[in-house]
């Protein structure tokens, strides 16, 4: 009887696991990696949500229903969507060597309604100092649980750096990076290296 119970539990777990792994929200995102004369300064994010989620959030967040997001409504979108994901680095993952870099803060958050889509823009602030030798790191924007399927256009990612820095970058898969194996959906990464000129 004990063995039968274990087999039934195993079948139940295998059958239920995919239900928790499929996305419920869809986001098209684009990033710009920003440097200053001291090194990496942050990542500018632009997230465009799917129409169904956008409609649901607008019906709650756009309190006066005018199709525009006021300062008070902007705070509501931040508290509802972004604040709960602070511990997840707001889904901005910067891998430096074998460690993820912790975000220092989130700045310039702005929610807007563009047509039928909710758009969030913000700056995820990171600090990696520049040196005379190349520093290499990888940027990934993704929800590792796949509750939100984030499709980040790394091929068209942008980089903004001052003339004092030498910066190279390219997009690629993450197959060889074991720290990303816990991500349900296989996101693309933006690989960067920078140094003083």
């Amino acid at each position: 009887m004990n063995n039968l119970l274990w087999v039934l539990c195993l079948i139940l777990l295998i059958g239920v696991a995919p239900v928790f792994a499929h996305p419920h929200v869809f986001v098209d995102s684009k990033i710009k990696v920003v440097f200053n004369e001291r090194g990496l300064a942050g990542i500018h994010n632009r997230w465009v949500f799917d129409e169904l989620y956008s409609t649901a959030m607008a019906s709650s967040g756009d309190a006066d229903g005018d199709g525009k997001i006021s300062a008070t409504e902007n705070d509501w979108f931040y508290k509802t969507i972004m604040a709960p994901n602070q511990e997840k680095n707001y889904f901005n993952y910067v891998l430096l060597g074998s460690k993820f870099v912790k975000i220092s803060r989130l700045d310039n958050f702005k929610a807007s309604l563009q047509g039928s889509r909710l758009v969030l823009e913000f700056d995820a602030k990171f600090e990696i100092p520049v040196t005379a030798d190349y520093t290499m790191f990888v940027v990934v924007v993704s929800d590792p649980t796949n509750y939100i399927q984030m499709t980040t256009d790394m091929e068209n990612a942008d980089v903004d750096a001052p003339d004092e820095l030498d910066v190279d970058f390219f997009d690629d898969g993450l197959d060889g990076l074991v720290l990303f194996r816990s991500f349900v959906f296989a996101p693309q990464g933006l690989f960067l290296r920078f140094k003083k000129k």
Side-chain angles (χ1 to χ4, degrees):
M1 184 65 178
N2 249 357
N3 286 342
L4 179 60
L5 185 59
W6 274 107
V7 170
L8 289 173
C9 286
L10 185 61
I11 290 170
L12 180 63
L13 286 173
I14 291 170
V16 171
V19 172
F20 293 108
H22 76 277
H24 294 72
V25 179
F26 298 86
V27 173
D28 293 321
S29 68
K30 190 170 181 186
I31 64 166
K32 179 193 284 188
V33 181
V34 180
F35 294 86
N36 59 29
E37 64 281 352
R38 295 182 304 277
L40 175 66
I43 302 167
H44 178 75
N45 286 253
R46 184 175 194 273
W47 297 358
V48 181
F49 287 83
D50 66 88
E51 289 187 30
L52 184 62
Y53 183 80
S54 296
T55 301
M57 295 307 284
S59 68
S60 298
D62 182 16
D64 57 13
D66 68 352
K68 297 175 186 171
I69 307 298
S70 69
T72 303
E73 292 166 342
N74 194 67
D75 288 344
W76 182 89
F77 281 98
Y78 173 80
K79 289 174 187 168
T80 305
I81 299 172
M82 300 306 292
N85 295 306
Q86 181 177 2
E87 291 303 312
K88 295 177 186 168
N89 246 28
Y90 304 105
F91 303 134
N92 278 236
Y93 295 94
V94 173
L95 182 64
L96 178 63
S98 62
K99 295 188 177 177
F100 287 110
V101 179
K102 185 84 174 143
I103 189 171
S104 61
R105 68 185 186 280
L106 188 137
D107 279 348
N108 304 317
F109 175 81
K110 182 180 180 211
S112 62
L113 297 171
Q114 298 181 10
S116 59
R117 309 288 287 273
L118 171 63
V119 177
L120 302 183
E121 294 191 63
F122 62 91
D123 297 322
K125 294 295 192 174
F126 292 90
E127 296 171 10
I128 301 177
V130 66
T131 64
D133 296 321
Y134 277 116
T135 299
M136 300 180 70
F137 65 98
V138 181
V139 173
V140 172
V141 178
S142 185
D143 175 4
T145 69
N146 206 33
Y147 182 83
I148 301 174
Q149 181 176 313
M150 306 190 76
T151 305
T152 306
D153 185 7
M154 288 300 188
E155 189 174 323
N156 291 306
D158 198 6
V159 171
D160 185 16
D163 291 338
E164 297 91 336
L165 267 59
D166 177 16
V167 180
D168 296 320
F169 63 98
F170 65 93
D171 65 292
D172 203 355
L174 302 169
D175 297 340
L177 299 177
V178 296
L179 290 172
F180 288 104
R181 288 197 181 147
S182 61
F183 284 55
V184 178
F185 176 70
Q188 288 287 103
L190 188 67
F191 293 74
L192 299 101
R193 67 177 190 168
F194 70 102
K195 69 173 186 174
K196 293 179 183 176
K197 282 186 177 174

